[in-house]
Amino acid sequence: SYELTQPSSVSVSPGQTARITCSGELLAKNFARWFQQKAGQAPILVIFEDTERPSGIPERFSGSKSGTTFTLTISGAQVEDEADYYCHSEADNNLGVFGGGTRLTVL
Amino acid sequence: EVHLVESGGGLVQPGGSLRLSCAASGFIVSANYMSWVRQAPGKGLEWVSVMYRGGSTYYADSVKGRFTISRDNSKNTLYLQMNSLRAEDTAVYYCARDTGANWGQGTLVTVSS
């Protein structure tokens, strides 16, 4: 089965740069995206097609990919960015795959 | 404005069935690919199923043969028929549009005796 691996937690101070990684073989061939989920809420798309940011998402959110590693960078993280972040992509058999999620703490 | 509203969740006994609905507004369901994603209590997101514009469907191994995704174009609604439910299917079920640009608020399915 295809897997995407994320660190379980990342912690930064307000104003610092937060980087969350997602690794997996399927990333080398397929677009990936990042979702932000705050407690009790539905996920929100923050990055799609590896590097694109939907309208309404702050510019401090950016995505990059190198080989089989996909990275979400939050430049100047804010307290309101504290949330769970999930990467997602599709395997060659059209099945979707989520990473296990990363809890971002900003304090 | 795009809206997705899930319904149909509830308490069901193991082995039972439920049909979830995802009513869409602001866009045409059949012109997009639509997914179901679930989240067990305190756990991460799990991809469940997708229906593409042309009608092709795919399922996670954990639900294949038990769940069926479908749509009613006249009602602009996506469905998930869930049969032979197990305790491990307990989760909030979300529908999502395309790459996940839009999600519903979710509906809770609890499988318990």
Side-chain angles (χ1 to χ4, degrees):
Chain A
S1 63
Y2 296 95
E3 293 184 349
L4 295 175
T5 301
Q6 300 180 230
S8 59
S9 64
V10 169
S11 182
V12 297
S13 299
Q16 287 188 327
T17 295
R19 292 183 180 86
I20 301 173
T21 59
C22 172
S23 61
E25 291 184 3
L26 60 89
L27 295 174
K29 295 188 290 182
N30 298 290
F31 279 131
R33 53 202 67 89
W34 286 103
F35 294 97
Q36 175 196 70
Q37 187 181 34
K38 296 183 179 180
Q41 298 182 19
I44 295 171
L45 181 68
V46 295
I47 295 291
F48 67 100
E49 290 185 0
D50 295 348
T51 60
E52 300 300 308
R53 193 175 54 250
S55 61
I57 300 302
E59 291 184 6
R60 63 180 180 272
F61 288 85
S62 64
S64 61
K65 188 194 284 184
S66 178
T68 59
T69 299
F70 181 42
T71 301
L72 173 68
T73 300
I74 308 173
S75 302
Q78 305 296 309
V79 172
E80 59 263 31
D81 298 332
E82 197 164 275
D84 294 325
Y85 290 84
Y86 297 90
C87 60
H88 175 267
S89 187
E90 286 90 14
D92 288 345
N93 56 7
N94 293 294
L95 302 189
V97 183
F98 281 99
T102 299
R103 173 68 55 88
L104 175 65
T105 303
V106 182
L107 53 76
Chain B
E1 188 178 359
V2 171
H3 279 294
L4 294 167
V5 179
E6 300 96 337
S7 61
L11 175 63
V12 61
Q13 291 188 339
S17 298
L18 277 178
R19 189 179 79 158
L20 306 183
S21 300
C22 171
S25 58
F27 73 100
I28 298 173
V29 165
S30 61
N32 293 261
Y33 75 85
M34 300 291 295
S35 301
W36 287 99
V37 175
R38 68 184 181 183
Q39 187 169 35
K43 301 297 185 181
L45 300 175
E46 180 186 11
W47 181 85
V48 173
S49 182
V50 65
M51 172 174 269
Y52 288 102
R53 287 189 292 270
S56 299
T57 60
Y58 298 90
Y59 300 92
D61 290 344
S62 57
V63 307
K64 195 171 185 179
R66 300 188 298 123
F67 290 11
T68 303
I69 190 172
S70 64
R71 67 190 179 207
D72 185 330
N73 296 342
S74 67
K75 296 182 178 179
N76 208 36
T77 297
L78 181 75
Y79 300 100
L80 186 68
Q81 177 68 43
M82 305 187 296
N83 299 330
S84 303
L85 283 162
R86 307 166 180 167
E88 53 265 37
D89 296 318
T90 295
V92 173
Y93 285 73
Y94 297 98
C95 63
R97 172 192 176 210
D98 277 348
T99 56
N102 306 103
W103 293 64
Q105 84 290 347
T107 186
L108 176 62
V109 172
T110 303
V111 184
S112 175
S113 55

Coordinates of all heavy atoms in Angstrom, one line a residue, chain B residues 23-56:
Chain B
A23 N -25.5 17.1 -0.1 CA -26.3 18.0 -1.0 C -25.4 19.2 -1.4 O -24.8 19.9 -0.5 CB -27.5 18.5 -0.4
A24 N -25.2 19.5 -2.7 CA -24.3 20.5 -3.1 C -25.1 21.7 -3.7 O -26.2 21.5 -4.3 CB -23.4 20.0 -4.2
S25 N -24.6 22.9 -3.5 CA -25.1 24.1 -4.1 C -23.9 25.0 -4.6 O -22.9 24.9 -4.0 CB -26.0 24.8 -3.2 OG -25.4 25.2 -2.0
G26 N -24.2 25.8 -5.6 CA -23.1 26.7 -6.1 C -22.2 26.1 -7.2 O -21.4 26.7 -7.7
F27 N -22.4 24.8 -7.4 CA -21.7 24.1 -8.5 C -22.4 22.8 -8.9 O -23.3 22.4 -8.2 CB -20.2 23.8 -8.1 CG -20.1 22.7 -7.1 CD1 -19.8 21.4 -7.5 CD2 -20.4 22.9 -5.7 CE1 -19.7 20.4 -6.6 CE2 -20.3 21.9 -4.8 CZ -20.0 20.6 -5.2
I28 N -22.0 22.2 -10.0 CA -22.6 21.0 -10.5 C -21.8 19.8 -10.1 O -20.6 19.7 -10.5 CB -22.8 21.1 -12.0 CG1 -23.7 22.3 -12.4 CG2 -23.4 19.8 -12.5 CD1 -23.9 22.5 -13.9
V29 N -22.4 18.9 -9.3 CA -21.7 17.8 -8.8 C -21.1 16.9 -9.9 O -20.0 16.5 -9.9 CB -22.6 16.9 -7.9 CG1 -22.1 15.5 -7.7 CG2 -22.9 17.6 -6.6
S30 N -21.9 16.7 -11.0 CA -21.4 15.8 -12.1 C -20.3 16.4 -12.9 O -19.7 15.7 -13.7 CB -22.6 15.5 -13.0 OG -23.2 16.6 -13.5
A31 N -20.1 17.7 -12.7 CA -19.0 18.4 -13.5 C -17.7 18.4 -12.7 O -16.7 19.0 -13.1 CB -19.4 19.8 -13.8
N32 N -17.7 17.8 -11.5 CA -16.5 17.8 -10.6 C -16.2 16.3 -10.2 O -17.1 15.5 -10.3 CB -16.8 18.6 -9.4 CG -16.9 20.1 -9.7 OD1 -16.0 20.8 -9.5 ND2 -18.1 20.5 -10.2
Y33 N -15.0 16.1 -9.7 CA -14.9 14.8 -9.0 C -15.1 15.0 -7.5 O -14.7 16.1 -7.0 CB -13.5 14.1 -9.3 CG -12.3 14.7 -8.7 CD1 -11.9 14.3 -7.5 CD2 -11.4 15.5 -9.5 CE1 -10.7 14.7 -6.9 CE2 -10.3 16.0 -8.9 CZ -9.9 15.6 -7.7 OH -8.7 16.0 -7.1
M34 N -15.8 14.1 -6.9 CA -16.3 14.2 -5.5 C -15.7 13.1 -4.7 O -15.7 11.9 -5.2 CB -17.8 14.2 -5.5 CG -18.4 15.3 -6.3 SD -18.2 17.0 -5.6 CE -19.1 16.8 -4.0
S35 N -15.4 13.4 -3.5 CA -14.8 12.4 -2.6 C -15.5 12.3 -1.3 O -16.2 13.2 -0.9 CB -13.3 12.7 -2.3 OG -12.6 12.8 -3.5
W36 N -15.4 11.1 -0.6 CA -15.8 11.0 0.8 C -14.5 10.7 1.6 O -13.6 9.9 1.1 CB -16.7 9.8 0.9 CG -18.1 10.1 0.5 CD1 -18.7 9.7 -0.7 CD2 -19.2 10.8 1.2 NE1 -20.0 10.1 -0.8 CE2 -20.3 10.8 0.3 CE3 -19.2 11.4 2.4 CZ2 -21.5 11.4 0.7 CZ3 -20.4 12.0 2.8 CH2 -21.5 12.0 1.9
V37 N -14.4 11.4 2.7 CA -13.3 11.3 3.6 C -13.8 11.1 5.0 O -14.8 11.7 5.3 CB -12.4 12.5 3.5 CG1 -11.2 12.4 4.6 CG2 -11.8 12.7 2.1
R38 N -13.2 10.3 5.8 CA -13.7 10.1 7.2 C -12.6 10.3 8.2 O -11.4 10.3 7.9 CB -14.3 8.7 7.3 CG -13.3 7.5 7.3 CD -14.1 6.2 7.4 NE -13.2 5.1 7.3 CZ -13.6 3.8 7.3 NH1 -14.9 3.5 7.4 NH2 -12.7 2.8 7.3
Q39 N -13.1 10.5 9.4 CA -12.2 10.8 10.5 C -12.7 10.2 11.8 O -13.7 10.6 12.3 CB -12.0 12.3 10.7 CG -10.9 12.7 11.7 CD -10.6 14.1 11.7 OE1 -11.4 15.0 11.5 NE2 -9.3 14.5 11.9
A40 N -12.1 9.1 12.2 CA -12.5 8.4 13.4 C -12.2 9.3 14.6 O -11.3 10.2 14.5 CB -11.7 7.1 13.6
P41 N -12.9 9.2 15.7 CA -12.7 10.1 16.9 C -11.2 10.1 17.3 O -10.6 9.1 17.6 CB -13.6 9.4 17.9 CG -14.6 8.7 17.2 CD -14.0 8.2 15.9
G42 N -10.7 11.3 17.4 CA -9.3 11.5 17.8 C -8.2 11.1 16.8 O -7.0 11.1 17.2
K43 N -8.6 10.7 15.6 CA -7.7 10.2 14.6 C -7.5 11.1 13.5 O -8.2 12.1 13.4 CB -8.1 8.8 14.2 CG -8.3 7.8 15.3 CD -7.0 7.5 16.0 CE -7.1 6.3 17.0 NZ -5.9 6.1 17.7
G44 N -6.7 10.7 12.5 CA -6.5 11.5 11.3 C -7.5 11.3 10.2 O -8.4 10.5 10.4
L45 N -7.3 12.0 9.1 CA -8.2 11.9 8.0 C -7.9 10.6 7.2 O -6.7 10.2 7.1 CB -8.0 13.1 7.0 CG -8.3 14.4 7.6 CD1 -7.9 15.5 6.6 CD2 -9.7 14.6 8.1
E46 N -9.0 9.9 6.7 CA -8.8 8.7 6.0 C -9.6 8.9 4.7 O -10.9 9.1 4.7 CB -9.3 7.5 6.7 CG -9.2 6.2 5.9 CD -9.8 5.0 6.6 OE1 -10.5 5.2 7.6 OE2 -9.5 3.9 6.2
W47 N -9.0 8.7 3.6 CA -9.7 8.8 2.3 C -10.6 7.5 2.1 O -10.1 6.4 2.5 CB -8.7 8.9 1.1 CG -9.3 8.9 -0.2 CD1 -9.7 10.0 -0.9 CD2 -9.5 7.8 -1.1 NE1 -10.2 9.7 -2.1 CE2 -10.1 8.3 -2.2 CE3 -9.3 6.4 -1.0 CZ2 -10.5 7.5 -3.3 CZ3 -9.7 5.6 -2.0 CH2 -10.3 6.2 -3.2
V48 N -11.8 7.7 1.7 CA -12.7 6.6 1.6 C -13.1 6.2 0.1 O -13.0 5.0 -0.3 CB -14.1 6.9 2.3 CG1 -15.1 5.8 2.1 CG2 -13.8 7.1 3.8
S49 N -13.5 7.2 -0.7 CA -14.0 6.9 -2.0 C -14.0 8.1 -2.9 O -14.0 9.3 -2.3 CB -15.4 6.3 -1.9 OG -15.9 6.0 -3.2
V50 N -13.9 7.9 -4.2 CA -14.0 9.0 -5.1 C -14.9 8.6 -6.3 O -14.9 7.5 -6.7 CB -12.6 9.5 -5.6 CG1 -11.9 8.4 -6.4 CG2 -12.7 10.8 -6.4
M51 N -15.6 9.6 -6.9 CA -16.3 9.4 -8.1 C -15.9 10.5 -9.0 O -16.0 11.7 -8.7 CB -17.9 9.5 -7.9 CG -18.6 9.5 -9.2 SD -20.4 9.4 -9.1 CE -20.7 7.7 -9.1
Y52 N -15.4 10.1 -10.2 CA -14.9 11.1 -11.2 C -16.1 11.6 -12.1 O -17.2 11.0 -12.1 CB -13.8 10.5 -12.0 CG -12.5 10.4 -11.3 CD1 -12.1 9.2 -10.7 CD2 -11.7 11.5 -11.0 CE1 -10.9 9.1 -10.0 CE2 -10.6 11.5 -10.3 CZ -10.1 10.2 -9.8 OH -9.0 10.2 -9.1
R53 N -15.8 12.6 -12.8 CA -16.9 13.2 -13.7 C -17.5 12.2 -14.6 O -18.7 12.2 -14.8 CB -16.3 14.4 -14.5 CG -16.0 15.6 -13.8 CD -15.6 16.8 -14.7 NE -14.3 16.5 -15.4 CZ -13.2 16.9 -14.9 NH1 -13.1 17.5 -13.8 NH2 -12.1 16.6 -15.6
G54 N -16.7 11.3 -15.2 CA -17.2 10.3 -16.1 C -18.0 9.2 -15.4 O -18.5 8.3 -16.1
G55 N -17.9 9.1 -14.1 CA -18.7 8.1 -13.4 C -17.8 7.0 -12.8 O -18.3 6.1 -12.1
S56 N -16.5 7.0 -13.1 CA -15.6 6.0 -12.5 C -15.5 6.2 -11.0 O -15.5 7.3 -10.5 CB -14.2 6.2 -13.1 OG -14.2 6.0 -14.5

